[in-house]
Amino acid sequence: MQLSLSTPFAFATLRYSQVAIVMVPVLFCCFSLLLLFLQWHHPKDKRLPPGSMGWPYIGETLKLYTENPNSFFSNRQKRFGDIFKTHILGCPCVMISSPEAARIVLVTRAHLFKPTYPTSKEKMIGPEALFFHQGPYHSRLKKLVQASFLPSAIRGSVSEIEQIVLRLLPTWKSNTINTLQEMKRYAFDVAMISAFGAKQDMEMDGIKHLYRCLEKGYNSMPLDLPGTPFHKAMKREQEVIRSKIVEANRGLTWEDTRRMPLTSRVIQETLRTASILSFTFREAVQDVEFEGYFIPKGWKVLPLFRSIHHCADFFPQPEKFDPSRFEVPPRPNTYMPFGNGVHSCPGSELAKLEMLILLHHLTTTYRWQTVGDEGGIQYGPFPVPKLGLPIRVNRRNKAAIS
């Protein structure tokens, strides 16, 4: 029997559909309110840090990922103070922007704040990653890993890293290159040597492919080459080292890299200005009383390295690129480009070494200029140079090199 709209069954079905259409947004609103209650409910006698939590679940994620992070953090810091709450990547968060508070979270009371990431990144990295562990097990693993990156261990890598540079730079000559992609390529090749040794085989291409797939979901701030300040800061230093190398007919040595104080200060200032690591994630393992505020168990706590690096109280005229500011060691806990505490980056010394080697050959053998008029930074979601900072590289005149 064929039913028509005039039958009681069809009428009831139509009424049910109308009710369902109305109920869907109602249920969504109820679900959103439930999320709000679960995320922001706290005992009435406890005081959460001030701040805005934004929209349900989305929070302020879109604002963070579409604005200049310096503006995002500084605007809230001016409005709410050095400790404020927000909601990003599906997580209620407390952001802190004072050196003293950062030290408490990362060092002195680190046992109350376990290393964490938003769920999406935790799945990507995997729960067995060194970063997520604490206590004696983490200490043993960290010592094993860090042993491969101590100065005594990486000093033997100078020649291998230099060979990577000498193979890489000639491919740039008289070409327009994407600086961002070339720096990623260089950093990856150095990482492969540190992990697998100098032996190259077919598996390397497969690892590179897997890394590129991972990177699409896990962006990071790249090393930015300052350009003109390099030329001013490197003049007497790198040329002197090069002349000694040419005279002795040898390659760079570990001792050469220890005689680059100006270059090291340029790198320090670049890392401060660019702040590759804008913040790091921790999670309160229990309800915590912190600086007069209440942080509920499970909330993320984010030390804001970028805000600290751009604070005029610690770095006068913070927007000015001034390597000379590092002629005097910075105040403790104000300069943390590689993090701080037991979970700081174990490969920081290797990263500095590869920068020194690249900059030596780049500044003494080549010259470069940006291509196109459009410069600046784009956010998608992390800050990167627009169009990857295209530059055109040319070899220096031989007379100028000699």
Side-chain angles (χ1 to χ4, degrees):
M1 175 178 165
Q2 192 174 21
L3 294 174
S4 67
L5 287 177
S6 60
T7 65
F9 178 81
F11 181 75
T13 301
L14 180 61
R15 294 286 296 173
Y16 178 79
S17 300
Q18 291 173 334
V19 171
I21 290 173
V22 173
M23 286 300 296
V24 167
V26 173
L27 289 172
F28 176 78
C29 290
C30 291
F31 178 71
S32 299
L33 290 172
L34 178 62
L35 279 177
L36 281 171
F37 178 81
L38 292 175
Q39 291 169 351
W40 296 302
H41 175 70
H42 59 280
K44 291 183 179 179
D45 60 337
K46 304 291 186 179
R47 186 166 69 113
L48 288 172
S52 170
M53 303 300 275
W55 292 92
Y57 187 74
I58 296 175
E60 297 190 301
T61 304
L62 297 180
K63 290 183 179 180
L64 173 63
Y65 282 173
T66 55
E67 293 181 13
N68 182 327
N70 287 350
S71 301
F72 180 90
F73 298 137
S74 63
N75 289 341
R76 284 153 183 78
Q77 186 178 0
K78 290 175 184 175
R79 184 178 176 186
F80 302 117
D82 287 341
I83 302 177
F84 58 91
K85 68 176 182 286
T86 183
H87 193 275
I88 60 171
L89 296 173
C91 307
C93 302
V94 173
M95 293 189 166
I96 57 178
S97 54
S98 74
E100 295 77 16
R103 177 173 174 78
I104 290 172
V105 172
L106 299 176
V107 183
T108 58
R109 299 178 70 189
H111 62 286
L112 295 178
F113 304 95
K114 70 178 182 180
T116 186
Y117 272 125
T119 304
S120 58
K121 289 188 177 182
E122 285 190 354
K123 289 180 179 178
M124 204 176 303
I125 298 173
E128 298 305 317
L130 174 63
F131 178 77
F132 297 126
H133 291 283
Q134 286 183 295
Y137 178 70
H138 170 266
S139 298
R140 290 196 299 271
L141 280 181
K142 181 74 176 283
K143 287 179 181 178
L144 288 173
V145 172
Q146 205 155 27
S148 300
F149 296 105
L150 293 173
S152 58
I154 63 175
R155 64 184 299 154
S157 302
V158 172
S159 177
E160 295 172 351
I161 298 175
E162 184 179 27
Q163 289 305 309
I164 294 176
V165 172
L166 294 177
R167 288 194 301 268
L168 177 66
L169 291 182
T171 66
W172 296 0
K173 187 174 63 175
S174 302
N175 287 322
T176 298
I177 65 163
N178 184 307
T179 308
L180 174 60
Q181 296 304 321
E182 291 298 309
M183 290 298 97
K184 289 180 180 179
R185 174 184 168 191
Y186 172 56
F188 183 86
D189 287 346
V190 173
M192 288 299 97
I193 285 214
S194 65
F196 301 107
K199 183 181 178 182
Q200 300 290 322
D201 52 37
M202 303 249 333
E203 291 183 358
M204 290 299 135
D205 291 334
I207 294 174
K208 285 184 179 180
H209 174 73
L210 292 174
Y211 172 75
R212 292 190 188 105
C213 292
L214 176 66
E215 184 195 26
K216 289 180 180 178
Y218 193 91
N219 295 304
S220 62
M221 187 76 169
L223 172 65
D224 185 25
L225 301 176
T228 303
F230 267 146
H231 176 71
K232 295 179 180 178
M234 300 304 131
K235 200 173 174 90
R236 295 186 308 283
E237 185 169 272
Q238 294 298 341
E239 298 294 349
V240 170
I241 293 174
R242 178 174 176 80
S243 65
K244 292 180 179 179
I245 289 174
V246 171
E247 183 180 351
N249 191 26
R250 61 173 176 82
L252 273 175
T253 64
W254 173 262
E255 288 70 25
D256 290 326
T257 66
R258 302 302 93 185
R259 292 193 289 268
M260 299 180 179
L262 289 176
T263 312
S264 296
R265 288 198 287 271
V266 168
I267 290 173
Q268 285 180 291
E269 178 67 345
T270 301
L271 292 174
R272 182 198 68 82
T273 305
S275 293
I276 298 172
L277 194 64
S278 295
F279 50 77
T280 189
F281 282 90
R282 294 293 186 268
E283 180 180 310
V285 299
Q286 63 186 55
D287 291 347
V288 178
E289 293 286 346
F290 186 84
E291 301 283 300
Y293 295 109
F294 170 70
I295 300 179
K297 177 183 177 180
W299 277 43
K300 309 295 184 186
V301 181
L302 281 63
L304 300 178
F305 300 131
R306 179 181 289 270
S307 294
I308 295 172
H309 291 170
H310 285 258
C311 179
D313 292 339
F314 315 130
F315 301 99
Q317 296 181 282
E319 301 306 318
K320 180 182 179 182
F321 188 87
D322 181 15
S324 67
R325 70 172 82 245
F326 286 96
E327 291 175 358
V328 177
R331 174 179 158 183
N333 307 301
T334 62
Y335 182 67
M336 298 173 283
F338 296 100
N340 196 11
V342 296
H343 287 89
S344 60
C345 177
S348 58
E349 289 301 321
L350 177 64
K352 295 172 189 175
L353 179 64
E354 64 180 279
M355 288 185 236
L356 290 171
I357 296 173
L358 173 67
L359 293 179
H360 169 76
H361 287 285
L362 181 64
T363 57
T364 59
T365 312
Y366 296 88
R367 286 294 177 262
W368 64 95
Q369 60 183 11
T370 57
V371 175
D373 297 327
E374 187 177 13
I377 303 294
Q378 63 187 26
Y379 306 94
F382 297 99
V384 294
K386 284 187 177 178
L387 305 179
L389 185 61
I391 62 172
R392 187 168 183 82
V393 181
N394 292 288
R395 193 174 180 88
R396 289 179 62 184
N397 184 286
K398 289 186 178 180
I401 297 176
S402 59

